[in-house]
Amino acid sequence: MDTQNPSAPTRAPGRIPADVPRAGIVHENVRHHSHFTVVGNHLAQHRELSGLAIGLGVHIQSLPAGARVDVRTLAARFPEGTSRIAAALRELEAHGYLRRERHRTPDGRVRTRTISCNRPGATPAPEEPRRQQKPKAKPLTVPHPEHRPSPTTLQAATDLLVGLHRADARLTLSRRDAERLAPGVVAWFERDLTPAAVRHTLTRDLPDDRPVRSPAALLAHRLTALLPPRTPAFGTPAPPDPVRHPLHNCDTCDRAYRGPEPGCCPPCRTAPRRT
């Protein structure tokens, strides 16, 4: 009966390339194209941080802005208890990888904000804080109504704007944008345009199969650039018709002329008299 040697290699070892170390770790790397985080070796190979602190530091740097990194949240994510996680967070804070700042919210409460530093001691580039800040909404310039509109008129204008997505899904507006654009629609109402006419003007001739990056900006432009002229107000008196005098025969030349009274025609009245 044949016996098998479990220690025998399944195949002959190949020749080791010259650039591969004969001992220690060998890396088999594949390039990441998404879902990756760049971590400095100063953290990954830190000589004074514990392994748990290094792991938490890498985990925190991989989280999106706004994620919770308090002790209870991290303890629910990892098997280590709250005491070990709290100690690891203190390590990261002592070496500058975490910073805690207290700030007051608009409602008067004091909150603690945790800041993760991927390179302690370095000053962030000016474009980095700007990139992290939420961009402010650009002001929308629209025509202003001549008179202060009633709440009912403003509501009708807002509802018209909110419903534009039924004509074209690219014109979907938030409630806030619709309320900012509503005074411009009211200005159109003051020019005796019906809601159907306003809706048709705002939705016609849109580019086919092209995305609309900012529907609010597009509508603000159309409300301003396509604003029709103001129509005359009701009750404005019409200019009087020109006066048409009756016909008369001139007493001198017997020619017909128009005038308020009979007598001589204008040429005969101005002709010099014969003596």
Side-chain angles (χ1 to χ4, degrees), residues 46-271:
H46 204 287
R47 292 185 175 275
E48 298 181 16
L49 290 175
S50 64
L52 178 57
I54 292 175
L56 282 180
V58 173
H59 173 72
I60 291 172
Q61 289 188 17
S62 71
L63 295 175
R68 299 183 63 86
V69 291
D70 57 277
V71 175
R72 291 185 179 181
T73 301
L74 294 174
R77 169 65 176 80
F78 298 102
E80 289 79 7
T82 56
S83 299
R84 295 185 60 190
I85 287 180
L89 293 177
R90 288 194 294 270
E91 290 183 57
L92 293 171
E93 190 172 358
H95 287 84
Y97 289 97
L98 290 182
R99 187 171 73 250
R100 303 179 189 275
E101 295 181 351
R102 297 170 66 86
H103 66 98
R104 188 176 299 276
T105 60
D107 58 1
R109 299 182 181 182
V110 177
R111 301 287 188 182
T112 300
R113 178 187 290 116
T114 302
I115 300 174
S116 172
C117 305
N118 69 337
R119 190 177 173 187
T123 302
E127 63 272 10
E128 291 298 326
R130 290 198 298 266
R131 191 180 306 166
Q132 297 175 2
Q133 294 177 357
K134 185 177 180 181
K136 297 181 179 180
K138 295 182 179 180
L140 298 176
T141 303
V142 295
H144 290 285
E146 189 171 300
H147 305 286
R148 184 174 181 179
S150 66
T152 304
T153 305
L154 273 176
Q155 186 62 48
T158 303
D159 293 342
L160 184 149
L161 291 164
V162 171
L164 291 180
H165 69 91
R166 299 188 183 95
D168 193 312
R170 295 173 294 178
L171 297 180
T172 302
L173 293 173
S174 66
R175 193 73 187 182
R176 179 185 178 188
D177 284 339
E179 292 174 350
R180 293 162 66 192
L181 294 171
V185 176
V186 174
W188 284 57
F189 288 166
E190 289 183 344
R191 286 159 170 76
D192 297 331
L193 271 83
T194 64
V198 178
R199 188 181 301 107
H200 173 72
T201 305
L202 295 179
T203 59
R204 70 183 181 187
D205 299 332
L206 290 176
D208 296 333
D209 301 328
R210 290 178 58 185
V212 176
R213 294 185 178 181
S214 177
L218 171 64
L219 293 172
H221 171 73
R222 290 198 163 195
L223 286 171
T224 303
L226 304 179
L227 182 67
R230 185 176 298 277
T231 57
F234 291 108
T236 301
D241 295 332
V243 178
R244 190 174 180 84
H245 297 293
L247 286 172
H248 303 282
N249 287 334
C250 177
D251 294 341
T252 302
C253 65
D254 200 29
R255 293 179 180 179
Y257 72 96
R258 291 186 180 275
E261 298 178 355
C264 295
C265 64
C268 291
R269 286 200 300 268
T270 57

